Amino acid sequence: QEVARSVKQLETEGIIADLEAISSGNLATGGEISAVTSGLFTWEDLCNLWGGVASQDFSPDKTAMNPLQAADLFKEQEFTNQLMLGDYVDLSVGRFGRTILGTDILVSSLIASGHVYMLSSVAALAYVLRRDMMVRTWDNTKDEIYGVGCNIRYGLKDIYNTAVARGTDF
C-alpha cells in the first residue's frame, strides 16, 4: 500500500512540476492571475481562473490547490452553496466536488501554498500510461534481506499551455 501511495505522490509531483514550468507568457491569460485580495482565495478568484481558460476555448474541468486555499473557499457562501448535493465527492483522492463552473476541486498538500491551477484535463497535459504499476517482492534469505520493488512506465507531456491558468498570491 505504501509503495502505491509513494508512486502516486511521485506522479503528482511530476504533474505539478510541469504546470509550474509553463512560462507565464504561455498561460491562458498570458500571465499568472493574482489574488483579488492578497493572501485569500475567493469565489471571485475561482471565476477569474475559469474565465482565463474558457477564454482560450478550452473547458476548465480541474482545479488543484493547497488545503489552505480550499479552506478559504469553504468559507465562501457562493462556493459552498454549489456543493450541497455532494456530486463528484471522493475525499480519498482529495476531490471535494464539482462547482457550477464545471470544474472538479482537487486538494493536495503537494501544491505550494498560495498557488492554484485551473486547467482543461483533456488539453493541458498528456499522461500516457505505457505499463501500469507492477509491484514485486524480493528476498535474499541467506543474508536476510527482503524488500519490495515497483516499476511503472508513463510519459507526461505538455499539449496546450493556454489550457492552463495559474494563480498566485492567494
Side-chain angles (χ1 to χ4, degrees):
Q1 186 175 1
E2 177 57 23
V3 171
R5 188 205 63 77
S6 294
V7 168
K8 289 177 184 178
Q9 179 175 331
L10 287 171
E11 290 174 331
T12 302
E13 289 170 353
I15 292 168
I16 294 168
D18 269 14
L19 293 173
E20 275 297 312
I22 299 171
S23 69
S24 295
N26 292 332
L27 293 167
T29 58
E32 292 183 339
I33 296 174
S34 294
V36 172
T37 303
S38 182
L40 183 66
F41 188 58
T42 65
W43 174 253
E44 190 174 349
D45 294 315
L46 190 72
C47 291
N48 289 342
L49 290 166
W50 181 90
V53 177
S55 70
Q56 298 299 311
D57 296 324
F58 294 109
S59 297
D61 61 345
K62 301 289 185 255
T63 304
M65 66 190 73
N66 183 281
L68 296 173
Q69 280 63 61
D72 288 343
L73 267 186
F74 295 153
K75 298 171 192 168
E76 293 276 323
Q77 186 174 0
E78 296 91 344
F79 177 75
T80 56
N81 284 348
Q82 296 182 48
L83 300 178
M84 298 307 264
L85 298 177
D87 287 348
Y88 305 101
V89 172
D90 185 352
L91 299 180
S92 68
V93 295
R95 184 172 48 231
F96 281 84
R98 182 169 292 163
T99 71
I100 195 169
L101 299 174
T103 182
D104 293 341
I105 303 298
L106 307 170
V107 179
S108 174
S109 62
L110 297 175
I111 297 170
S113 179
H115 289 234
V116 177
Y117 308 94
M118 187 176 288
L119 54 96
S120 169
S121 65
V122 298
L125 300 170
Y127 176 91
V128 181
L129 187 61
R130 183 173 169 194
R131 183 176 66 229
D132 207 352
M133 185 175 12
M134 294 179 5
V135 178
R136 62 181 175 10
T137 59
W138 53 270
D139 59 64
N140 178 339
T141 54
K142 178 182 172 196
D143 297 327
E144 294 186 18
I145 300 173
Y146 308 91
V148 177
C150 178
N151 191 312
I152 185 171
R153 290 189 182 183
Y154 68 91
L156 186 60
K157 174 116 174 87
D158 295 351
I159 302 175
Y160 295 106
N161 291 336
T162 55
V164 178
R166 185 171 61 223
T168 57
D169 193 31
F170 299 116

